[in-house]
Amino acid sequence: AIEMNHTADVTISGNTGHMIGFPGEEVLIAGTMVPAAIAATGSVDRATIRGNTFDEIAGRCMSFDGITNSEIATNVCGDGLFNAMLIRGSANRITDNRFTGMNTARRDQPEWLRTGIYLAGGASGNTVTGNEIGGYGMARYCVGGPQGVMEANTVKNNACVDASSIARLES
């Protein structure tokens, strides 16, 4: 729906989208094209992606390849065919996002489609904290990546459940 390519100092906020990547039977899984509500390719620096809401995505919620020094916060995505986010980049803050109903395709492989927030090879210095991730396999495959990547990033305090939604209790 929204794509950034070789840019800097971009703000994407307050957008909504529904039924992105449909018709779903035309989604290309074997190649590099997986529909996303927000995507970045190439060199993207100092982007602010905040307060966007998307649902019914025939792909993943967000895909960031080559993003640095950016903030991805308070976004809401629901009912995604695959995972919530793929990120390859450095020094990004991924906080307080809410992803529900992820992996409706019930994929167990490949890892880059099943893991809620997937830190791809080369991801380093990112902070992934305070995110809520729900859906098929999300309790087990909440935040992950290839060997060595998890140690190169800060991942803490993310709430992950095998459910379509995460309920909050108000006191």
Side-chain angles (χ1 to χ4, degrees):
I2 300 170
E3 185 172 340
M4 299 174 286
N5 190 352
H6 301 289
T7 190
D9 300 311
V10 173
T11 298
I12 299 171
S13 67
N15 297 286
T16 60
H18 176 70
M19 294 190 73
I20 295 164
F22 283 87
E25 60 272 6
E26 294 180 15
V27 173
L28 176 61
I29 297 171
T32 58
M33 302 259 323
V34 173
I38 302 176
T41 57
S43 174
V44 175
D45 191 37
R46 299 179 312 275
T48 301
I49 301 155
R50 172 182 282 279
N52 299 286
T53 303
F54 300 97
D55 69 345
E56 293 190 40
I57 303 162
R60 71 169 48 98
C61 182
M62 299 177 187
S63 184
F64 302 114
D65 191 355
I67 191 170
T68 58
N69 304 306
S70 296
E71 177 189 28
I72 303 156
T74 66
N75 298 289
V76 176
C77 283
D79 302 318
L81 190 60
F82 304 124
N83 59 340
M85 182 185 300
L86 178 140
I87 187 156
R88 178 178 290 122
S90 61
N92 299 294
R93 294 164 317 285
I94 303 155
T95 60
D96 301 319
N97 297 288
R98 187 164 192 241
F99 304 114
T100 60
M102 294 294 107
N103 197 11
T104 60
R106 303 176 72 80
R107 303 276 309 203
D108 289 317
Q109 292 294 328
E111 183 180 17
W112 56 273
L113 285 180
R114 74 163 184 227
T115 304
I117 296 176
Y118 185 75
L119 298 163
S124 66
N126 297 296
T127 300
V128 181
T129 185
N131 299 288
E132 298 178 1
I133 307 167
Y136 177 80
M138 293 303 113
R140 183 171 179 196
Y141 303 113
C142 180
V143 181
Q147 187 172 2
V149 169
M150 294 302 290
E151 296 78 16
N153 296 279
T154 302
V155 177
K156 62 183 179 179
N157 301 325
N158 297 290
C160 303
V161 297
D162 289 331
S164 60
S165 64
I166 300 171
R168 289 185 181 257
L169 295 175
E170 301 287 333
S171 53

